[in-house]
Amino acid sequence: MLVHLLKFQPSLPTLGLMLYLCHMLFFFFSTAELIQNGRLLTLPLEAGDLHSLLPDEDRRRLYVAMKDNLLSTSLDDITQNPRKLFWPASPDRVQECLMAGKDSELDCANFLRVLQPFNQTHLYVCGTGAFNPRCAFIATSIFHQAEYQTLSYSQTECGKGKCPYDPFQKTASAVVDGELYAGITSDFMSRDSAFFRSLGRRHVIRTEQYDSTWLQDAQFVRVAPLSETDNPEDDKVYVFFTERAQEAEGAAGKVLYSRVARVCKNDIGGQRSLVNKWSTFQKARMVCSVPGPDGLQTHFDQLQDIFILHGKDKKNPLIYGLFTTSSDILNGSAVCVYRMEDVVRAFKGNFLHKEGPQYKWAEFTGKVPYPRPGTCPSSTYGSYSSTREYPDDVIFFSRTHPLLQEHVLPLGERPLLVRVGVHYKFSKLLVDRVEAVDGTYDVLFIGTDSGLVLKAIHLPREHGQSQEVTLEQLQVFQHKSPVTAMALSKKKWLFVGSREGVSQLALYQCELYGQACAECCLARDPYCTWDGHACSPYMPTVRRRNARHLGEEEDPLTQCVRQGGEEQIQRFHQV
Ligand SMILES: *[C@@H]1O[C@H](CO)[C@@H](O)[C@H](O)[C@H]1NC(C)=O
Ligand SMILES: *[C@@H]1O[C@H](CO)[C@@H](O)[C@H](O)[C@H]1NC(C)=O
């Protein structure tokens, strides 16, 4: 174990100095140390290309979507009894794929790209099928039958509009009420970026095709259903992505913007125009930037991951966004946090408008038709029971004005966490809300393209800004492969995927912070507390009993204060 001091490298400093430096201190563990300490289990996998991890808490299984394989293993110990469903592309398709000039190893295989829980008994899974996407309902019970099985072509269905052809196009999907919402490129050449809804009883519906005002080279990151009111007719599905920004294009060439877009769940398209196309699709820019020395903002323009943290207020989740810079020279990564109400406000703002090909995008100042485009049809609160009944001018305006003017800015108008000029970039993000001895913390788990997991918290500071504190850096993949998937299970395990396989990491290991109260407190890990004898996991109910038993005088934090650094410990209390 190494204790890193970011800026200083003192020999064993005094406790006072330790306290002073405490927000520059974090713990680093190598893969070997993590395994030795019993904190990490690894399941090496040969298939490579691990795209997604899906925990099934009821059955205690973890599903793993890879190249040509769907895996099921134990959620309690991934090394126990992994089961494999082999699902290759059909040999004919592989031949055609090779004839089309694609590479057999890199492209002409079945890269699983959609892995969704469908109902209590089935998963819905799609793969690229050597540039011929296929999907299948897979009963979770099949994994009981044998250790190794094969899914035949006849057990699959057409995956067009559900899964991309090209495995290297970023894709996002979600099953909502038995329907699949998918952000994909839906053609062989990957020119048709689209957001689809399929499966279920309703007609397939999508974004306008080859219309750059709707989507342009979109790389999809996350699809999520979010309700904003108590009226289910108003429910929307959100999609987060990065695309080429048509409103910024010009002399500078290609400019990337990250976006949040949404559609109404009850959208069934227009009647005369936008037939089987979304009639409520709208999008806004999400900004994550820092001011540079010249006063210009440096933008983290490429969205990599989104984590939606639902708190007590179900209508107002926090949206954590993980961004990187598209430049490889800078190697910049950042986490920005957005409030749902700020997202919703952007969608209530003004529209952007383009008069013609030679004009620039500008605020639309004319009369917006009624009902305002983007409004979900509601027979309870409005006079339209379906989007097909909307007046032609509403549909026409929707088709030509999908873009809103207002930007969605992060909390505090700056990132929560920034890394620049390091030898890695962030790739995945998860957040766990933890009740600690001194309040509630959001603990960030960040995967990097160098096989690391960073564990970090943020502490509020004066002037309303927050300060990031890295608690640990954990090398969960020995060969430093990029983290491609992460999942959390019941506040205990973090599952991490890369082309090396799956790693299962305990979220905390309190005893490693040391034998003394001060060391335990200094680690600032919200999962841990000094219980009077040892650094141990904080259990909200157990703690209360202990505290009563020990009495106020024996409060562990008070103990630590007595040992030194009063001022620092007070900060713990302020949070
Ligand atoms: C789940 O969906 C599958 C595929 O449509 C269906 O065959 C199965 O009966 C469903 N299971 C339940 C419990 O509804
Ligand atoms: C950026 O990160 C890559 C690995 O992702 C590394 O090879 C490269 O050296 C880094 N560049 C800088 C300037 O740190």
Side-chain angles (χ1 to χ4, degrees), residues 191-263:
R191 292 209 182 108
D192 182 21
S193 289
F195 185 54
F196 277 89
R197 183 182 65 208
S198 57
L199 225 57
R201 294 207 184 84
R202 296 191 281 185
H203 200 285
V204 174
I205 181 170
R206 57 162 292 164
T207 43
E208 188 76 301
Q209 198 168 20
Y210 305 125
D211 184 335
S212 61
T213 41
W214 283 50
L215 290 169
Q216 190 170 212
D217 294 346
Q219 301 162 52
F220 297 95
V221 168
R222 180 75 62 211
V223 174
L226 293 167
S227 323
E228 187 191 307
T229 67
D230 289 322
N231 177 14
E233 291 170 313
D234 208 19
D235 284 353
K236 299 186 177 73
V237 175
Y238 286 75
V239 54
F240 300 87
F241 56 98
T242 302
E243 67 168 345
R244 275 177 61 186
Q246 73 260 333
E247 74 268 38
E249 235 146 62
K254 190 170 135 176
V255 180
L256 298 181
Y257 279 1
S258 289
R259 310 267 200 207
V260 49
R262 68 181 195 184
V263 293

Side-chain angles (χ1 to χ4, degrees), residues 328-331 421-425 449-450:
D328 272 332
I329 306 151
L330 193 61
N331 273 2
V422 287
H423 65 281
Y424 56 78
K425 279 187 184 179
D449 64 0
S450 62

Side-chain angles (χ1 to χ4, degrees), residues 118-122 137:
F118 184 72
N119 60 18
Q120 286 178 338
T121 53
H122 286 71
F137 288 100

Side-chain angles (χ1 to χ4, degrees), residues 428-444:
K428 290 281 160 194
L429 169 74
L430 282 177
V431 183
D432 188 23
R433 183 159 282 183
V434 181
E435 200 191 319
V437 70
D438 57 347
T440 305
Y441 290 86
D442 287 350
V443 182
L444 275 59

Side-chain angles (χ1 to χ4, degrees), residues 373-421:
T375 308
C376 302
S378 164
S379 45
T380 324
Y381 298 102
S383 37
Y384 299 93
S385 60
S386 130
T387 50
R388 292 218 178 118
E389 294 172 12
Y390 276 161
D392 287 344
D393 60 339
V394 170
I395 298 290
F396 179 75
F397 192 90
S398 281
R399 191 164 74 74
T400 47
H401 298 83
L403 186 55
L404 289 144
Q405 186 188 31
E406 197 178 318
H407 298 166
V408 184
L409 298 179
L411 265 177
E413 298 191 9
R414 57 170 59 233
L416 190 69
L417 192 158
V418 173
R419 281 283 186 290
V420 174

Side-chain angles (χ1 to χ4, degrees), residues 141-302:
S141 58
I142 67 153
F143 292 105
H144 301 314
Q145 291 162 17
E147 225 164 275
Y148 189 88
Q149 294 170 83
T150 301
L151 191 76
S152 67
Y153 190 80
S154 62
Q155 290 166 284
T156 65
E157 59 185 32
C158 176
K160 198 163 159 46
K162 297 171 179 170
C163 182
Y165 285 65
D166 182 342
F168 299 103
Q169 295 292 323
K170 276 199 161 195
T171 300
S173 59
V175 167
V176 183
D177 300 339
E179 293 174 298
L180 182 75
Y181 292 77
I184 57 169
T185 49
S186 69
D187 59 338
F188 190 86
M189 301 301 286
S190 301
R191 292 209 182 108
D192 182 21
S193 289
F195 185 54
F196 277 89
R197 183 182 65 208
S198 57
L199 225 57
R201 294 207 184 84
R202 296 191 281 185
H203 200 285
V204 174
I205 181 170
R206 57 162 292 164
T207 43
E208 188 76 301
Q209 198 168 20
Y210 305 125
D211 184 335
S212 61
T213 41
W214 283 50
L215 290 169
Q216 190 170 212
D217 294 346
Q219 301 162 52
F220 297 95
V221 168
R222 180 75 62 211
V223 174
L226 293 167
S227 323
E228 187 191 307
T229 67
D230 289 322
N231 177 14
E233 291 170 313
D234 208 19
D235 284 353
K236 299 186 177 73
V237 175
Y238 286 75
V239 54
F240 300 87
F241 56 98
T242 302
E243 67 168 345
R244 275 177 61 186
Q246 73 260 333
E247 74 268 38
E249 235 146 62
K254 190 170 135 176
V255 180
L256 298 181
Y257 279 1
S258 289
R259 310 267 200 207
V260 49
R262 68 181 195 184
V263 293
C264 294
K265 244 163 74 173
N266 60 7
D267 191 341
I268 54 167
Q271 183 68 33
R272 273 176 289 276
S273 164
L274 290 184
V275 178
N276 298 325
K277 307 276 169 62
W278 299 110
S279 62
T280 57
F281 178 87
Q282 293 184 335
K283 61 181 180 180
R285 183 180 180 197
M286 289 176 91
V287 171
C288 184
S289 65
V290 287
D294 49 4
L296 292 173
Q297 295 284 315
T298 301
H299 283 275
F300 297 90
D301 49 3
Q302 190 118 41

